[in-house]
Amino acid sequence: TQALKYSPNYSYLHINMAILKDAVGKQDEAEGYFKKGIQYSGGSANARFYYGRYLYKKNRKTEAVAELQI
């Protein structure tokens, strides 16, 4: 969270926060961080990959496939 103060638009920070929030059971916060990570990624496939993996783990397979196809 400290790093986000200095680099609030750095997509990898948001993705890592999303993975952390998911790991501790805070899915609502995780999803928000994933979406911010995608927003700031500049079209990077990595952000969508991790979000797609998250969606798949949550049994939201249709959404996961859509993310991974982008």
Side-chain angles (χ1 to χ4, degrees):
T1 56
Q2 290 295 319
L4 285 171
K5 291 178 185 177
Y6 300 103
S7 297
N9 299 333
Y10 187 46
S11 67
Y12 286 104
L13 287 175
H14 289 277
I15 297 300
N16 285 333
M17 287 296 293
I19 293 167
L20 171 67
K21 293 296 182 177
D22 179 42
V24 297
K26 296 183 177 182
Q27 281 75 36
D28 55 334
E29 292 181 46
E31 189 143 359
Y33 278 111
F34 276 120
K35 289 180 179 179
K36 287 279 190 180
I38 291 169
Q39 177 184 344
Y40 298 133
S41 72
S44 168
N46 287 336
R48 293 206 181 264
F49 169 78
Y50 285 110
Y51 184 44
R53 186 177 74 171
Y54 164 81
L55 293 169
Y56 188 82
K57 282 180 24 183
K58 301 302 174 202
N59 206 27
R60 295 165 58 185
K61 292 181 172 75
T62 303
E63 293 171 85
V65 168
E67 281 297 320
L68 294 170
Q69 287 178 332
I70 294 171

